[in-house]
Amino acid sequence: MTLSPGPPPWPIPPSWTVTTPSAATGPPPPAEPVTPPSGPPHRTVALLAPDDAGVRDVLGAVPGVRVDARSIPAPAPGFAGVRDLADAAARALSEGADGVVIVAGTEAPDETAWALDLLHPGDAPLVLAANPDHTTDVADAISVAAAAPYRAGCLLVTRGEIHAARHVRRIGTDALVLASPGAGPMGHVTAGVVRLAWRPPERLTLRGGTDGTAGGTAGGTAGGTNGGTHGGPGGGSPRVGLHTVTLGDDGELLGALAERCDGLIVTATATGGVPPEAAGALAGASARIPVVLVSPIAHSSLPVTRLDPLKARVLMHLLLAAGRDRDAVIAAFAAAERPGPAQL
């Protein structure tokens, strides 16, 4: 997917400024603080946070924004917690919020942001504060939610940086060190001023949004086969394996993993290939379950994706949980690789 830097086609609010394309490679120049507008607040941002999040100090920190603080339970582990957050955001938007900020510590903020992006079919922005313990991150997230253009999807704010859910990932061992390799931050927040370095990427969303009932049937009875035995409606949470092909990989561990999975994401070698010893295991697995190769180049017998491995796994999990069979999952990944927005 090609990202086009430069002025976006939407109307830009006064507090949302756009840098020139050359500025996208580095931090923006210092910005003056936003002058608080006169009159009543003109945008409403729903702030979803557990009772113990300690966000009271930021409720009036962003001029011109009405913050509707809503208490939510601490997220459950795994995808169940992500769906709870998506449902809470959908309720807030249906009740009149212009944008939503989620302040909840998650075990994987980059994966959570991507899952929320896929599950959120609407136009209003969702913003995840990566570090809910830092009031600056929360205030910055409110500024972004109030100023972000529609169709921006889910954005993640951390340490003054704005990251698109499609690109952000955790780097190193610190869960709160986040970056967008190959793309860079989508923008920055300085003293309440939101500065955009490049336009949001075209969005991928799941048909059916948060209801998890979109398309296909579990067990592969509609247009394809799926030999997995764990996932899909009525069958519990799907198991999606993640395997990285490494030096000396003989395919034995890969084959054993595939036997326990409903779907499989495999990261290719640095050259985009798969050793012959592992190719046989992949061929056998792909006849039974959806197998997608993370690779920058096409493969002769397997579908490929340029999503990073963790995001590819999240997408496959949500597709299988919605009841998609093997062929439907492969078709969705193919659609995700084509330019432009897509509803999968």
Side-chain angles (χ1 to χ4, degrees):
M1 180 172 292
T2 302
L3 298 176
S4 302
W10 52 76
I12 302 172
S15 62
W16 182 280
T17 62
V18 180
T19 62
T20 61
S22 60
T25 58
E32 295 297 325
V34 176
T35 301
S38 59
H42 59 280
R43 299 206 78 180
T44 298
V45 171
L47 180 65
L48 310 183
D51 289 332
D52 59 354
V55 297
R56 189 178 301 275
D57 292 342
V58 303
L59 295 184
V62 181
V65 178
R66 175 181 175 269
V67 178
D68 177 15
R70 298 178 176 224
S71 176
I72 59 172
F79 284 92
V82 174
R83 287 195 177 276
D84 289 343
L85 291 175
D87 289 340
R91 283 194 298 272
L93 292 172
S94 70
E95 294 169 4
D98 299 302
V100 174
V101 170
I102 297 174
V103 182
T106 64
E107 53 195 335
D110 50 340
E111 295 176 69
T112 298
W114 174 237
L116 289 171
D117 197 47
L118 292 168
L119 292 171
H120 172 49
D123 292 332
L126 303 185
V127 184
L128 187 65
N131 189 348
D133 296 326
H134 287 182
T135 56
T136 301
D137 271 10
V138 178
D140 287 347
I142 294 171
S143 295
V144 172
Y150 276 11
R151 299 300 296 167
C154 184
L155 306 174
L156 190 146
V157 172
T158 177
R159 302 177 183 181
E161 296 180 342
I162 308 165
H163 293 273
R166 184 184 180 94
H167 298 295
V168 69
R169 68 178 70 172
R170 188 173 68 253
I171 57 175
T173 57
D174 187 336
L176 295 178
V177 177
L178 300 160
S180 295
M186 198 181 84
H188 294 79
V189 187
T190 305
V193 176
V194 179
R195 305 180 69 89
L196 183 65
W198 45 269
R199 68 183 63 188
E202 300 283 9
R203 291 191 59 206
L204 305 176
T205 55
L206 295 186
R207 292 196 305 275
T210 60
D211 64 13
T213 60
T217 57
T221 60
T225 59
N226 186 2
T229 58
H230 309 287
S237 181
R239 292 178 178 171
V240 178
L242 178 57
H243 179 84
T244 299
V245 175
T246 55
L247 185 67
D249 196 334
D250 61 4
E252 186 172 346
L253 292 177
L254 176 58
L257 174 64
E259 288 296 324
R260 301 285 297 168
C261 294
D262 301 293
L264 187 61
I265 301 296
V266 178
T267 303
T269 63
T271 58
V274 176
E277 296 82 0
L282 284 178
S286 63
R288 184 178 62 88
I289 60 174
V291 177
V292 175
L293 190 68
V294 177
S295 171
I297 62 173
H299 192 272
S300 59
S301 59
L302 291 173
V304 300
T305 182
R306 288 169 291 176
L307 290 170
D308 76 62
L310 292 177
K311 288 185 173 56
R313 179 186 171 273
V314 168
L315 175 56
M316 184 176 286
H317 177 101
L318 293 176
L319 289 167
L320 290 172
R324 309 295 180 86
D325 60 31
R326 186 196 64 186
D327 290 353
V329 170
I330 298 304
F333 270 90
E337 292 301 303
R338 292 192 285 268
Q343 194 174 55
L344 308 177

